[in-house]
Amino acid sequence: KSFIKSKWVANQMKERSNEFTTLSDIKVMCGTWNVNAKKPEHDDNLLNWLHKDGGDAADVFCVGFQEIVDLTTVNVVADGKTRERSAFWREKILASINCIDEGNTYELIHEKHLVGIMICIFAKSVHTPFIKKVQSQTAGVGVMGMMGNKGGAAIRFKFHDTSICVVCAHLAAHRDNVAGRNADFANILQRVQFVHEAPTTSELEELGEIA
């Protein structure tokens, strides 16, 4: 009975959603790059990648990298140069996208890295007050099924009332190893879990749950 009631309520809300829901389009640019432990030259223009088609600038940039450092034993076991390289790429991207449109600036929402894997989310400053509940997780699936030479880094956030999750992964190598990559994907999907956050006071007030 409880299931039937919940389903009925969900159907009623869906049918009347136009009474309490406002939809807006946003432009999201997602890019990924295996950089093979290399850094761009000083005059390399990342906009040839991040904004190659011109037009309106994206509202949100979701950028992922693989192999920002060499996958040596030192870098896999310890932090190595991961933080240093992450900072380099983060600042390089931010400087690039802030040249797209003088009327819009971008801010870093969050960054997460795992050995050679890095993912970062940038959004226009006008949107940042509406981006909340940001969480991130990593899952190493490499050596011994747990080291970070292979794996994934994920960031989840809420933009207005829409939840968005982005994952950057570095999976098993070799073209014919499809089964290995599928297994890595399943492992990452199972192990990346986010903590449920209860609604804030302001959110409950918006819903009319509290006076």
Side-chain angles (χ1 to χ4, degrees):
K1 291 182 178 180
S2 177
F3 172 76
I4 295 174
K5 182 178 179 181
S6 298
K7 188 174 182 179
W8 181 85
V9 170
N11 287 335
Q12 291 296 308
M13 292 182 66
K14 183 177 181 180
E15 290 178 3
R16 302 181 60 181
S17 62
N18 62 330
E19 298 178 20
F20 54 84
T21 302
T22 301
L23 300 179
S24 300
D25 292 331
I26 62 168
K27 185 176 181 180
V28 180
M29 186 278 175
C30 294
T32 181
W33 189 2
N34 186 321
V35 296
N36 194 28
K38 303 293 192 298
K39 296 196 298 184
E41 299 295 332
H42 177 71
D43 57 350
D44 282 345
N45 187 358
L46 294 185
L47 293 184
N48 292 331
W49 169 43
L50 299 172
H51 191 58
K52 67 174 184 175
D53 296 327
D56 295 335
D59 296 284
V60 178
F61 283 89
C62 306
V63 186
F65 292 96
Q66 300 84 36
E67 296 190 38
I68 59 172
V69 296
D70 287 315
L71 300 181
T72 61
T73 302
V74 173
N75 286 331
V76 172
V77 175
D79 185 70
K81 297 181 178 180
T82 300
R83 292 183 184 276
E84 175 187 340
R85 286 293 176 88
S86 295
F88 172 85
W89 280 108
R90 178 182 67 242
E91 296 306 317
K92 183 72 174 178
I93 295 169
L94 193 58
S96 297
I97 60 179
N98 274 328
C99 292
I100 296 174
D101 182 357
E102 293 183 0
N104 288 299
T105 58
Y106 290 86
E107 298 179 25
L108 175 70
I109 300 303
H110 198 63
E111 170 196 329
K112 194 70 173 178
H113 47 76
L114 173 69
V115 189
I117 301 168
M118 174 187 176
I119 184 171
C120 42
I121 309 293
F122 304 89
K124 288 181 178 178
S125 298
V126 295
H127 295 316
T128 56
F130 308 104
I131 297 177
K132 303 174 182 178
K133 297 190 175 181
V134 181
Q135 296 187 45
S136 60
Q137 288 288 341
T138 61
V141 298
V143 178
M144 298 185 292
M146 59 180 289
M147 302 302 287
N149 57 307
K150 302 292 182 183
I155 297 176
R156 187 187 72 173
F157 58 96
K158 193 172 184 180
F159 190 1
H160 290 281
D161 289 319
T162 300
S163 293
I164 300 173
C165 182
V166 185
V167 182
C168 177
H170 193 195
L171 308 177
H174 306 301
R175 180 176 298 180
D176 59 348
N177 191 14
V178 177
R181 285 189 289 278
N182 287 340
D184 285 349
F185 169 79
N187 198 358
I188 293 168
L189 191 64
Q190 181 181 28
R191 292 172 53 192
V192 170
Q193 299 184 16
F194 299 100
V195 178
H196 173 71
E197 294 185 4
T200 63
T201 301
S202 62
E203 289 172 331
L204 291 174
E205 288 175 345
E206 292 176 4
L207 293 171
E209 296 293 333
I210 59 176

